[in-house]
Amino acid sequence: MESQPTTDHHPDGHYDVIVVGAGFAGLYMLHRCRQAGLRTVVIEAGGGPGGTWYWNRYPGARCDVDSLDYCYGFDPDLLQEWEWSERFATQPEILRYIEHVVERFDLGRNIVFDTRVSALEFDEASSTWHVTTSHGSRPTSRFCVMATGSLSHSNTPDFPGFRAFAGSVHHTGRWPQDPVDFSGKRVGVIGTGSSGIQAIPEIAETAEHLYVFQRTPNFTIPARNAPLDPDFVDERKRNYADYKRAAMRTRAGYIPQIPPAGPSAAADDEERRTRELELRWQHGGNLLVWSYEDLLRNSESNDLVADFVRSKIAEIVDSPETAALLTPTDHHIATKRICVDTDYYATFNRPDVTLVDLRSDPIATFTQYGLVTEQQAYHLDMIVLATGYDAMTGALMNIPTIGRNGTTIQSAWADGPATYLGLGIHGLPNYFVVAGPGSPSVRANMVAAIEQHVDWITRCIAYLDEYGFKTIEATAEAQEKWVDHVAALADDTLFATTRSWYSGSNIEGKPNVFAPYLGGLDVYGDEIDAAAGAGYSGFSLER
């Protein structure tokens, strides 16, 4: 059945597929469903498409994957016609790209905006999902595809007295659509993860004074962002099809412009190692992550690369005391998602920027006029929360979801996320997750990971229809084995030594379970294709 236009905020009626979320994943899922003739609706909480790139409008927001990789690969004409302006695209440019895709493929007529999914319940008698929305509509569908994003549920810590603050407060993950004026204001930024590292240099340009409240310093590498070289773009466009095929056969879903320097940093002599690391530092971006093949397995090699970056921090930051506070010493480099910046460390040389170390001087309380640490009061006009996300699971766990035999995702994941292949969850039939826990997702080029998942889900639905199956559900045994496999891969790396949002340890009380699959996009693709080729082994199919 062909897709039909939706009406306002009320997607009533029955659908073949209901998709939750209109970011990169939801939009491509809609496109593939429409190609397959499936009646589909996308329900989106935001006022427009874009997902992460709709909400994250903070100053300095940009992608940390090269623009020519961070784009859809499913349509050759789309690849040829879109022109990226910079190596690392800004949020406004990425959002324009997404809006162009929506218009080009006429996706908007099947998307309901400004509407949240407030509950999901599976009816076993009819093998149907019943969906309740924030506007009271109750559509039903055979399949439910969760395209809610890995970094979409923002985290606001429960600071003492937080509501007493009389100034304006903005979270980087829920930034206002209208520009925020920092001029003449004393601004406090809490958090120095990726969004804080991107926003801090921009805010410092116009604020009267910027206070950066840091609990944990992070490694960040200069982006060296610049306009794209036309000759490089022309060469890529001539070979896009071959490049995309080759990129999908890599661990990360893209091919680094500088290949690895060798198998081990520890095995390289100091002169060559310094030369190779300097080459990647000057080139910019996240190439240091791919500098040596054993970077994430060998602590000696990792320490050598980390010490190289630490030496750069000491060179850039004028104050030795400030440089020391900005230097990470409690985790291995790249075991948290590496940050990419523009003039981040140099910003702390400004006289109107103050770094506050929350480890030695924690926040005691907020007041009407700002915040008070254990040692000092700070008068602020505005607070920016760069406090990150309840990643990987937050958006899914925030929707009350009841599956077979009363199974809820909240109870099933009480001890941490559990999926089979990152795609299905035992107890939730005909329920698919795109780029969620148990898949490469955030450890790869997200757009490539999304396309891999969506293509698999679309083929799965076609298989079920062709052979007369009404439901598909991950088996408990296959799910348990996959969870153990994902954990074993992580335990064999330095990731196991680090607290991060990869494992949920940034959220108080959240189970500490490493969520991403570390086997690589290429190996993972073989795994999910093998399951499909074996009649969807590891899944229970019912006629």
Side-chain angles (χ1 to χ4, degrees):
M1 183 185 297
E2 288 294 331
S3 297
Q4 299 297 320
T6 58
T7 303
D8 299 326
H9 303 303
H10 301 283
D12 286 310
H14 184 71
Y15 297 87
D16 296 310
V17 182
I18 287 179
V19 181
V20 184
F24 270 101
L27 296 176
Y28 184 49
M29 191 74 234
L30 171 59
H31 176 67
R32 294 288 277 120
C33 284
R34 281 180 25 174
Q35 285 182 321
L38 299 169
R39 190 168 191 260
T40 306
V41 66
V42 177
I43 303 175
E44 167 57 45
T52 291
W53 301 107
Y54 175 86
W55 296 106
N56 285 256
R57 299 165 183 261
Y58 61 84
R62 69 172 68 243
C63 190
D64 59 1
V65 175
D66 287 64
S67 303
L68 294 177
D69 289 300
Y70 195 79
C71 55
Y72 289 121
F74 68 85
D75 186 273
D77 293 334
L78 177 63
L79 286 168
Q80 294 297 323
E81 70 193 23
W82 184 261
E83 297 289 341
W84 294 104
S85 66
E86 295 180 293
R87 179 184 173 193
F88 296 109
T90 62
Q91 177 272 334
E93 186 169 18
I94 297 172
L95 188 57
R96 286 196 299 272
Y97 170 75
I98 293 171
E99 291 169 344
H100 169 75
V101 171
V102 170
E103 182 178 358
R104 189 186 190 283
F105 296 98
D106 190 25
L107 302 178
R109 61 188 172 93
N110 298 105
I111 307 173
V112 178
F113 295 111
D114 293 313
T115 304
R116 290 187 176 276
V117 170
S118 50
L120 296 169
E121 185 169 0
F122 185 72
D123 178 67
E124 296 183 52
S126 62
S127 298
T128 300
W129 280 99
H130 290 250
V131 181
T132 304
T133 76
S134 55
H135 291 280
S137 57
R138 293 184 55 84
T140 59
S141 67
R142 281 184 63 205
F143 299 96
C144 196
V145 178
M146 306 304 289
T148 49
S150 300
L151 296 171
S152 57
H153 192 69
S154 56
N155 170 47
T156 302
D158 187 19
F159 293 114
F162 184 67
R163 295 184 182 278
F165 180 61
S168 54
V169 179
H170 304 295
H171 194 292
T172 51
R174 286 292 183 271
W175 202 259
Q177 295 201 31
D178 295 328
V180 176
D181 184 10
F182 303 102
S183 58
K185 292 184 172 62
R186 297 165 64 87
V187 181
V189 174
I190 301 176
T192 53
S194 182
S195 58
I197 283 170
Q198 289 185 332
I200 284 164
E202 295 282 333
I203 296 172
E205 289 293 324
T206 54
E208 176 185 311
H209 198 98
L210 174 62
Y211 295 91
V212 177
F213 297 91
Q214 172 190 272
R215 182 182 62 181
T216 305
N218 280 288
F219 290 102
T220 178
I221 312 299
R224 312 289 186 204
N225 194 41
L228 283 166
D229 178 2
D231 291 338
F232 178 73
V233 174
D234 289 345
E235 189 276 334
R236 175 65 62 84
K237 287 192 172 186
R238 282 194 302 272
N239 300 287
Y240 242 136
D242 291 340
Y243 176 84
K244 286 289 184 181
R245 278 192 294 270
M248 291 303 292
R249 295 307 307 165
T250 66
R251 295 177 60 84
Y254 63 90
I255 301 172
Q257 293 178 27
I258 302 175
S264 175
D268 245 354
D269 65 79
E270 183 177 359
E271 182 179 353
R272 182 180 185 275
R273 182 175 60 246
T274 302
R275 184 171 65 250
E276 291 290 345
L277 295 178
E278 186 68 35
L279 173 66
R280 287 157 179 79
W281 179 270
Q282 294 302 328
H283 187 274
N286 56 17
L287 284 174
L288 275 179
V289 176
W290 310 107
S291 55
Y292 288 94
E293 294 168 11
D294 68 345
L295 178 70
L296 293 169
R297 296 180 182 276
N298 184 327
S299 60
E300 183 182 359
S301 287
N302 192 286
D303 288 343
L304 290 166
V305 175
D307 284 344
F308 172 84
V309 177
R310 292 177 182 125
S311 72
K312 291 295 185 180
I313 299 171
E315 289 177 12
I316 296 169
V317 181
D318 294 339
S319 164
E321 293 79 10
T322 302
L325 292 176
L326 291 168
T327 301
T329 57
D330 65 347
H331 65 276
H332 294 288
I333 190 169
T335 55
K336 295 186 177 186
R337 188 175 175 93
I338 201 78
C339 300
V340 176
D341 74 275
T342 299
D343 297 328
Y344 174 68
Y345 292 123
T347 298
F348 292 92
N349 294 331
R350 298 175 60 112
D352 52 1
V353 174
T354 300
L355 179 64
V356 180
D357 177 32
L358 295 182
R359 285 187 171 177
S360 61
D361 188 15
I363 294 174
T365 188
F366 282 76
T367 69
Q368 179 181 353
Y369 304 106
L371 65 83
V372 180
T373 64
E374 291 183 356
Q375 300 175 20
Q376 190 170 342
Y378 296 89
H379 189 283
L380 303 171
D381 304 301
M382 181 186 298
I383 292 172
V384 173
L385 298 173
T387 48
Y389 300 89
D390 184 352
M392 306 292 287
T393 63
L396 296 169
M397 293 281 278
N398 197 47
I399 301 173
T401 302
I402 303 175
R404 194 189 299 276
N405 298 323
T407 299
T408 67
I409 192 171
Q410 288 73 22
S411 60
W413 284 11
D415 296 324
T419 70
Y420 175 49
L421 301 175
L423 285 158
I425 300 172
H426 179 64
L428 304 181
N430 292 2
Y431 177 103
F432 298 106
V433 181
V434 181
S439 75
S441 57
V442 295
R443 289 296 305 161
N445 175 359
M446 278 295 294
V447 182
I450 283 166
E451 288 187 314
Q452 185 183 63
H453 260 192
V454 168
D455 289 342
W456 190 95
I457 294 168
T458 308
R459 291 194 298 268
C460 178
I461 292 174
Y463 178 91
L464 298 176
D465 287 345
E466 181 179 358
Y467 292 97
F469 293 105
K470 66 177 181 178
T471 63
I472 182 171
E473 178 187 347
T475 68
E477 180 183 13
Q479 178 170 283
E480 183 177 357
K481 287 182 177 178
W482 186 253
V483 170
D484 290 344
H485 176 54
V486 171
L489 289 175
D491 288 342
D492 193 37
T493 71
L494 298 174
F495 285 102
T497 68
T498 301
R499 293 173 57 83
S500 74
W501 57 257
Y502 287 146
S503 58
S505 55
N506 64 314
I507 303 297
E508 187 175 353
K510 187 173 180 177
N512 191 352
V513 175
F514 193 85
Y517 171 83
L518 293 179
L521 202 68
D522 49 352
V523 174
Y524 175 79
D526 293 340
E527 291 267 14
I528 62 175
D529 287 346
Y536 294 90
S537 59
F539 290 93
S540 173
L541 280 64
E542 292 186 358
R543 295 187 184 280

